[in-house]
Amino acid sequence: EAGVTQFPSHSVIEKGQTVTLRCDPISGHDNLYWYRRVMGKEIKFLLHFVKESKQDESGMPNNRFLAERTGGTYSTLKVQPAELEDSGVYFCASSLGPAGFYEQYFGPGTRLTVT
Amino acid sequence: AQSVTQLDSHVSVSEGTPVLLRCNYSSSYSPSLFWYVQHPNKGLQLLLKYTSAATLVKGINGFEAEFKKSETSFHLTKPSAHMSDAAEYFCVVNQAGTALIFGKGTTLSVSS
């Protein structure tokens, strides 16, 4: 069974540019989560999809971040325009059901560097 | 509100000696608690989880953790460290249905 995959593994962009991160969850997992780890800080929740619907987006830092999950399969996280403080590692996770009851399986992360 | 504090940012042990990674949590309700591990260039992997069953939880690779409500602790232990245990470890708290809340992580170094 394939795990959670994320693309790209690394991205280096300049301030003001746009970047789109992609996450492919484990097949059949309706729940998809995005997390972010800024350097030196803890991993923080960004948002949660159930199928194509946003269940909880309370962790999204501002309106420069847009997440989508069209069709309830893969998800994208777009940052537009990127700022220096957006640098960090973006993790995606998927699960069969809600957090706490079902294990979340994490991807390897996308390391974003904004210069 | 929930939170989790990992008391050590870095722990160094020798191969074959015990490992102790400390975690304290704060939660208004009965929490679920987890330990995740991340090896370099890999995704986070679940080591073990506590969900109000037995207080001593056994995980993969010989790790275990004990839930102590009186001390609000969930420390991770292993009797004998192996070189392959070198990684970053995260203590995580969660209330059913809400997002995972991570500690800042503890980097474990194992020397031969």
Side-chain angles (χ1 to χ4, degrees):
Chain A
E1 177 184 276
V4 177
T5 58
Q6 294 186 244
F7 182 82
S9 57
H10 293 85
S11 180
V12 181
I13 61 171
E14 293 183 354
K15 176 182 173 181
Q17 290 185 321
T18 297
V19 64
T20 300
L21 313 181
R22 174 170 169 144
C23 168
D24 286 79
I26 293 172
S27 178
H29 282 194
D30 287 340
N31 291 262
L32 187 149
Y33 303 80
W34 283 98
Y35 295 86
R36 176 175 76 167
R37 189 181 195 189
V38 172
M39 186 173 294
K41 303 283 189 179
E42 61 272 28
I43 298 170
K44 285 198 170 179
F45 166 78
L46 295 179
L47 86 159
H48 170 207
F49 283 99
V50 177
K51 297 185 180 178
E52 67 274 13
S53 299
K54 291 176 185 174
Q55 187 77 8
D56 180 358
E57 51 184 331
S58 60
M60 294 287 264
N62 51 63
N63 59 10
R64 295 185 294 103
F65 288 76
L66 175 63
E68 294 181 323
R69 193 183 181 194
T70 306
T73 54
Y74 71 90
S75 175
T76 58
L77 180 65
K78 181 189 289 187
V79 185
Q80 179 182 29
E83 298 288 345
L84 297 178
E85 64 264 24
D86 301 333
S87 295
V89 181
Y90 290 76
F91 293 100
C92 175
S94 72
S95 65
L96 278 171
F101 293 111
Y102 293 87
E103 179 177 350
Q104 288 190 23
Y105 295 84
F106 283 79
T110 293
R111 182 173 296 278
L112 174 64
T113 302
V114 182
T115 62
Chain B
Q2 302 175 90
S3 66
V4 62
T5 302
Q6 292 184 243
L7 300 169
D8 306 292
S9 59
H10 192 206
V11 170
S12 296
V13 301
S14 298
E15 193 174 23
T17 64
V19 176
L20 170 64
L21 305 183
R22 298 181 295 164
C23 172
N24 287 117
Y25 70 91
S26 173
S27 179
S28 303
Y29 303 98
S30 296
S32 295
L33 292 158
F34 309 80
W35 277 97
Y36 278 84
V37 60
Q38 186 181 22
H39 289 92
N41 301 316
K42 300 283 188 182
L44 291 107
Q45 180 185 19
L46 180 66
L47 270 181
L48 51 81
K49 66 178 179 181
Y50 166 78
T51 53
S52 77
T55 56
L56 182 62
V57 183
K58 293 188 183 298
I60 61 172
N61 301 332
F63 284 93
E64 61 182 38
E66 186 171 7
F67 173 73
K68 291 188 176 180
K69 187 175 181 179
S70 61
E71 299 175 10
T72 61
S73 69
F74 190 59
H75 301 334
L76 182 70
T77 60
K78 182 174 181 178
S80 176
H82 191 273
M83 296 294 287
S84 61
D85 294 328
E88 190 167 18
Y89 292 79
F90 296 92
C91 183
V92 180
V93 67
N94 163 259
Q95 286 172 216
T98 65
L100 301 182
I101 296 174
F102 286 77
K104 290 190 175 183
T106 298
T107 298
L108 175 66
S109 299
V110 182
S111 57
S112 57

